[in-house]
Amino acid sequence: MDRIRNFGFILKNLERLYTKRFEMLAQELSLTLAQCKALFNLARNQGISQKRLAEICEIEPMTLVRILDRMEADGWVERRPDPNDRRARTLYVTSGATPILEQIDKLSAQMRAEALAGLNAEQRNQLMGLLEHVYQNLVSTKVEPLAAAARPATALPIRKKAQ
Amino acid sequence: MDRIRNFGFILKNLERLYTKRFEMLAQELSLTLAQCKALFNLARNQGISQKRLAEICEIEPMTLVRILDRMEADGWVERRPDPNDRRARTLYVTSGATPILEQIDKLSAQMRAEALAGLNAEQRNQLMGLLEHVYQNLVSTKVEPLAAAARPATALPIRKKAQ
DNA sequence: CTGAGATAGTATCAAGTGATATTATATTTA
DNA sequence: TAAATATAATATCACTTGATACTATCTCAG
């Protein structure tokens, strides 16, 4: 009946499946999806700061710190001092990371092939368009977080964090 | 250009945004999305076992144990012995949880309203259909996990788990 | 120029998740 | 029917993640 009710759930399940599958395929790269994403985005933006890369990847700066720690130790990323700001670092992909980047490319192509199998070009575009639309909707709720908050009729004890 | 390249990333970002927004709205229920999902599914399947509920929710049984621990302590869920199997427990939503369930209903309706704003009924259906399709694709890769594994040209050291 | 506040990166802490092992009980097999 | 195996729930462990606090540095008001 009202299949839309499952929107949130399917989104969550889908994401988990996708990530799991990706990391299974990426096992031999010893990279998580988060790392691949960081490396991929860095490669297209050499010399940017950690703050900026975190923004691009849409993760917390602290999360990125750890991802970079790992990849720096593995020799795929370099942190150089920023000559204009002694607080900041500029980030670079090392030449050693080139084969990794190629692997990531292949991997993501395969992931997309698997995930989008059976959908033609038009459907794929539709899907992306719809997802981008939803994404934008959610981004704007972040900007005005109070706007539409549903107040429950009965106030319940607030806990720091549940589960 | 090739916007499809972002499919994996947008999926992940979307899911995180969605979850975050949901939990912001649900703060006063002191419930996470995972708990809401469990409670919601349990309410529709009173008397089932933990194993079964974990399957329905598509989470690990161990994860469910913890979710139930919390909700049982909060008095919203009951674990009763299974008369036919002394290993198992049967699960019930308590009457006290009724208002919570109503809140969850409202909340998820609002979430969907926010997330799907600007999409007409046809587009919403399209989106769900496409997501379900992708979901099925990924589910089937799980069944035959080796089928299409992309072997990298250069073998890299395998690590237990990366960042 | 100087002090107040902002900002970049990082350490620390609290919480959640999944994998694996464990225990009690069921089921199957010989 | 006794032994071997499977299963439901759970304890424990390892690993992520995000929130918050902290340090060094920058920027801006006065």
Side-chain angles (χ1 to χ4, degrees):
Chain A
M1 36 158 69
D2 195 357
R3 74 208 292 217
I4 311 265
R5 287 182 78 84
N6 288 315
F7 179 70
F9 296 162
I10 200 175
L11 192 61
K12 205 167 176 66
N13 290 340
L14 197 47
E15 185 275 335
R16 197 175 24 221
L17 264 184
Y18 193 94
T19 302
K20 203 161 191 169
R21 177 65 176 165
F22 184 95
E23 293 185 352
M24 167 182 275
L25 293 179
Q27 236 176 17
E28 314 176 48
L29 298 177
S30 74
L31 283 175
T32 60
L33 179 54
Q35 287 182 315
C36 289
K37 188 172 163 189
L39 198 55
F40 175 91
N41 282 314
L42 177 53
R44 273 157 192 69
N45 297 278
Q46 301 254 16
I48 59 174
S49 68
Q50 295 188 198
K51 176 161 173 46
R52 184 74 193 107
L53 183 55
E55 282 169 11
I56 295 174
C57 294
E58 299 181 66
I59 58 179
E60 298 301 311
M62 189 58 231
T63 305
L64 180 61
V65 165
R66 288 178 284 224
I67 290 175
L68 290 175
D69 286 349
R70 251 305 295 277
M71 294 204 298
E72 195 179 29
D74 287 341
W76 297 334
V77 161
E78 248 185 286
R79 286 195 254 221
R80 301 184 200 158
D82 183 333
N84 304 313
D85 186 340
R86 275 186 297 168
R87 293 169 307 179
R89 327 273 213 107
T90 57
L91 301 173
Y92 294 88
V93 171
T94 68
S95 58
T98 313
I100 306 288
L101 281 164
E102 283 166 19
Q103 291 301 333
I104 293 176
D105 260 9
K106 269 192 215 164
L107 249 183
S108 20
Q110 173 170 7
M111 270 307 301
R112 285 192 303 275
E114 287 184 9
L116 303 174
L119 299 182
N120 62 32
E122 194 197 337
Q123 289 172 310
R124 292 175 189 210
N125 255 309
Q126 253 175 13
L127 177 56
M128 281 304 291
L130 291 165
L131 289 180
E132 282 162 12
H133 184 102
V134 173
Y135 181 78
Q136 283 310 321
N137 281 346
L138 289 179
V139 168
S140 42
T141 66
K142 272 201 107 167
V143 179
E144 31 172 342
L146 300 170
R151 293 255 144 193
T154 337
L156 287 161
I158 296 177
R159 237 175 268 170
K160 204 64 212 172
K161 201 71 197 258
Q163 142 73 345
Chain B
M1 36 160 69
D2 194 357
R3 74 210 292 217
I4 312 264
R5 289 182 77 82
N6 288 316
F7 178 69
F9 296 161
I10 202 175
L11 192 62
K12 204 167 177 65
N13 290 339
L14 198 49
E15 184 275 335
R16 196 174 25 220
L17 264 184
Y18 193 94
T19 302
K20 204 160 191 170
R21 176 64 174 167
F22 184 94
E23 293 185 353
M24 167 182 275
L25 293 179
Q27 237 176 16
E28 314 174 49
L29 299 177
S30 75
L31 281 175
T32 61
L33 180 54
Q35 286 181 315
C36 289
K37 189 172 163 188
L39 198 56
F40 175 91
N41 282 314
L42 177 53
R44 274 159 191 67
N45 296 279
Q46 301 255 16
I48 58 174
S49 67
Q50 297 189 195
K51 174 162 175 49
R52 184 75 193 105
L53 183 55
E55 283 168 11
I56 294 174
C57 294
E58 299 182 67
I59 58 179
E60 298 301 312
M62 189 57 231
T63 304
L64 181 61
V65 165
R66 287 177 285 224
I67 290 173
L68 290 175
D69 287 348
R70 253 302 297 276
M71 294 204 299
E72 194 179 30
D74 287 342
W76 298 335
V77 160
E78 248 185 287
R79 286 194 252 221
R80 301 185 200 156
D82 182 333
N84 303 315
D85 185 340
R86 276 188 295 169
R87 294 169 304 178
R89 327 273 214 105
T90 57
L91 301 173
Y92 295 88
V93 171
T94 68
S95 59
T98 312
I100 305 287
L101 281 163
E102 282 165 20
Q103 291 301 333
I104 293 176
D105 260 8
K106 269 192 214 163
L107 250 182
S108 21
Q110 172 170 8
M111 271 307 300
R112 285 192 302 275
E114 287 184 7
L116 303 174
L119 299 181
N120 62 34
E122 193 198 337
Q123 289 173 311
R124 291 176 189 209
N125 256 308
Q126 254 175 12
L127 177 56
M128 281 304 291
L130 290 165
L131 288 180
E132 282 162 10
H133 184 102
V134 172
Y135 181 77
Q136 283 310 322
N137 280 346
L138 287 178
V139 167
S140 42
T141 67
K142 272 201 108 167
V143 179
E144 30 172 343
L146 300 171
R151 292 256 144 192
T154 338
L156 288 161
I158 297 176
R159 242 178 263 170
K160 205 64 213 169
K161 198 73 197 257
Q163 145 74 328

